[in-house]
Amino acid sequence: MDNDTQGKEERHVARMQRKKEIVDQKVAAADQERGVLLVNTGNGKGKSSAAFGVAARALGHGLQVAVVQFVKSRTDTGEEAVLGRVPGIRWHVMGEGFTWETQDPDRDAAAARAAWETALGYLRDPGVGLVVLDEMTYAFKYRWLPLDEVLAAFAARPAMQHVIVTGRAAPEELIAAADTVTEMNLVKHAFKVGVKAMPGMEF
Amino acid sequence: MDNDTQGKEERHVARMQRKKEIVDQKVAAADQERGVLLVNTGNGKGKSSAAFGVAARALGHGLQVAVVQFVKSRTDTGEEAVLGRVPGIRWHVMGEGFTWETQDPDRDAAAARAAWETALGYLRDPGVGLVVLDEMTYAFKYRWLPLDEVLAAFAARPAMQHVIVTGRAAPEELIAAADTVTEMNLVKHAFKVGVKAMPGMEF
């Protein structure tokens, strides 16, 4: 090895040692153990699929998981076919489809209320480690559910229970109440350049 | 129902009818069927978990799935425990951990190269419907792999094969080559307010 390469390697090692110290300090400082409230919002792809990925993760650690889908766009999804079959998960496809499909606000509101009642049962059960409320934010956008009531139920849930809420345009009060918030932003999408919703990728 | 309420409902229905027409037109215009290249990047949570959610989705539609993890941060992940057991998936935890843990650039580069050789086998196999290359972008950042070679292999893959690449700071050429790109942005994270990496949520 020449001197140049050796110097470069030594600088890399020194930089990585500093980085490791910083990372280790941060890990040591994070010592609370409790359930967290996650919100996946934004106009990009991945809000629901990230929630299902975490559901798989939680199941793998032996947690009981409940999934409530507030907007029933279809019932032939691959995620339900696979994850809905894993012991420890309960999966509810509720809602009536996107509101521009139903064109009936009263039916939409009643469906959202029914989905919320199902969710509430899980939010009161300390045996349930993770509750996924998929596409719930639409219930706030269209005023099918009062946000106050939902946030109060989140606050009163069992201490070790995790909750994930997905959907576009999460309201500010929900973001304020959450522990972890990711905004999934659309940079580009295959659909816009004429690719069909491919099974296994989009549903 | 009074006139006001009725007027409001009629306006809602008219608005939703217009929305439905626009959505239906867009769906009709997207008529290509082919494999897509997805990139999940950004500094937020959900890049890998969204890829695993799509892996579940793909398995549910009967696709063969291969997962290659380029950065082995741990081998006790919940997603592997659950999804790694589903028939139709092959799961490879490769790499040597984050580079600030190994502090050895040569070992990191060799591990990335080995992971890429494994990935290449799948990228040449038309029987594989989805290839997940988890945390691959680090291989470009640290120059463990030449981006040109990787993009050429993506371009030469079977026509119906989907690929997902995850990781921070995806290079511009990769974003240009992709069909769908989501930037997962960190709005807030439980870790920063002192919550430990909770099993089932973070791994």
Side-chain angles (χ1 to χ4, degrees):
Chain A
M1 200 186 293
D2 62 25
N3 284 346
D4 239 35
T5 310
Q6 200 180 343
K8 211 174 140 191
E9 284 221 359
E10 279 166 9
R11 285 192 303 277
H12 175 89
V13 169
R15 210 164 51 234
M16 290 301 129
Q17 273 169 351
R18 281 194 302 278
K19 181 150 191 171
K20 180 168 163 52
E21 282 163 23
I22 293 166
V23 171
D24 288 349
Q25 277 168 17
K26 284 187 186 171
V27 169
D31 59 358
Q32 292 174 52
E33 298 194 11
R34 61 173 173 82
V36 291
L37 172 59
L38 255 74
V39 173
N40 294 345
T41 191
N43 62 350
K45 194 174 154 56
K47 297 182 288 295
S48 296
S49 47
F52 300 136
V54 174
R57 187 170 279 174
L59 289 165
H61 284 279
L63 272 63
Q64 297 282 315
V65 176
V67 175
V68 180
Q69 297 193 278
F70 278 73
V71 177
K72 180 169 71 175
S73 50
R74 50 201 311 161
T75 54
D76 59 346
T77 65
E79 55 271 29
E80 191 191 354
V82 165
L83 295 176
R85 217 178 277 164
V86 176
I89 201 166
R90 276 156 294 178
W91 197 293
H92 303 268
V93 183
M94 303 189 77
E96 291 283 347
F98 286 106
T99 191
W100 58 87
E101 292 291 345
T102 65
Q103 303 182 9
D104 182 342
D106 294 335
R107 211 171 88 186
D108 293 339
R113 170 57 59 183
W116 175 236
E117 294 296 333
T118 300
L120 263 180
Y122 295 118
L123 290 166
R124 288 170 182 151
D125 181 352
V128 174
L130 168 64
V131 181
V132 175
L133 303 170
D134 186 41
E135 313 223 65
M136 187 194 213
T137 59
Y138 300 94
F140 307 127
K141 181 180 173 186
Y142 292 105
R143 301 183 185 283
W144 298 330
L145 293 178
L147 183 55
D148 285 359
E149 182 189 333
V150 171
L151 292 181
F154 288 171
R157 76 187 194 279
M160 294 304 289
Q161 188 181 72
H162 307 294
V163 174
I164 308 181
V165 175
T166 81
R168 292 185 180 212
E172 267 178 50
E173 300 90 324
L174 176 62
I175 288 175
D179 298 294
T180 298
V181 178
T182 310
E183 192 173 77
M184 274 76 169
N185 287 322
L186 181 73
V187 179
K188 59 203 282 196
H189 198 298
F191 183 65
K192 301 218 170 180
V193 295
V195 181
K196 263 180 98 156
M198 299 297 289
M201 296 301 279
E202 299 295 331
F203 61 91
Chain B
M1 197 185 297
D2 63 23
N3 284 347
D4 238 35
T5 310
Q6 201 180 342
K8 210 175 143 193
E9 284 221 359
E10 279 165 10
R11 284 194 300 278
H12 175 87
V13 169
R15 209 164 52 234
M16 290 301 129
Q17 273 170 349
R18 280 195 301 277
K19 182 151 189 169
K20 180 169 163 52
E21 280 162 24
I22 293 166
V23 171
D24 288 349
Q25 276 167 17
K26 284 186 185 170
V27 169
D31 60 357
Q32 292 175 51
E33 298 193 12
R34 61 173 173 81
V36 292
L37 172 58
L38 255 75
V39 173
N40 294 344
T41 191
N43 61 351
K45 194 174 155 55
K47 298 182 288 295
S48 296
S49 47
F52 299 137
V54 174
R57 187 170 280 176
L59 289 165
H61 284 278
L63 272 62
Q64 297 282 315
V65 176
V67 174
V68 180
Q69 297 193 280
F70 278 72
V71 176
K72 180 169 69 176
S73 49
R74 52 201 311 162
T75 56
D76 59 347
T77 65
E79 55 271 29
E80 191 190 354
V82 165
L83 295 175
R85 216 179 278 164
V86 176
I89 201 166
R90 277 156 294 178
W91 197 293
H92 303 268
V93 183
M94 303 189 77
E96 291 282 349
F98 286 106
T99 191
W100 58 87
E101 292 291 344
T102 64
Q103 302 183 10
D104 182 342
D106 294 334
R107 211 171 87 185
D108 293 337
R113 170 58 59 182
W116 174 236
E117 294 296 333
T118 299
L120 262 180
Y122 295 117
L123 290 166
R124 288 169 182 151
D125 181 353
V128 174
L130 169 63
V131 182
V132 175
L133 303 170
D134 187 41
E135 312 223 67
M136 187 193 213
T137 59
Y138 300 94
F140 307 127
K141 180 179 176 188
Y142 291 106
R143 299 182 186 284
W144 298 330
L145 292 177
L147 183 56
D148 286 359
E149 182 189 334
V150 171
L151 293 180
F154 288 171
R157 78 188 192 279
M160 294 303 292
Q161 188 180 72
H162 307 296
V163 173
I164 308 180
V165 176
T166 81
R168 292 185 181 211
E172 268 178 49
E173 300 90 324
L174 176 62
I175 288 175
D179 298 293
T180 299
V181 178
T182 310
E183 192 173 78
M184 274 79 169
N185 288 323
L186 181 72
V187 178
K188 59 204 282 199
H189 199 298
F191 183 65
K192 301 217 169 179
V193 294
V195 181
K196 263 180 100 157
M198 299 296 289
M201 296 300 280
E202 299 295 331
F203 60 91

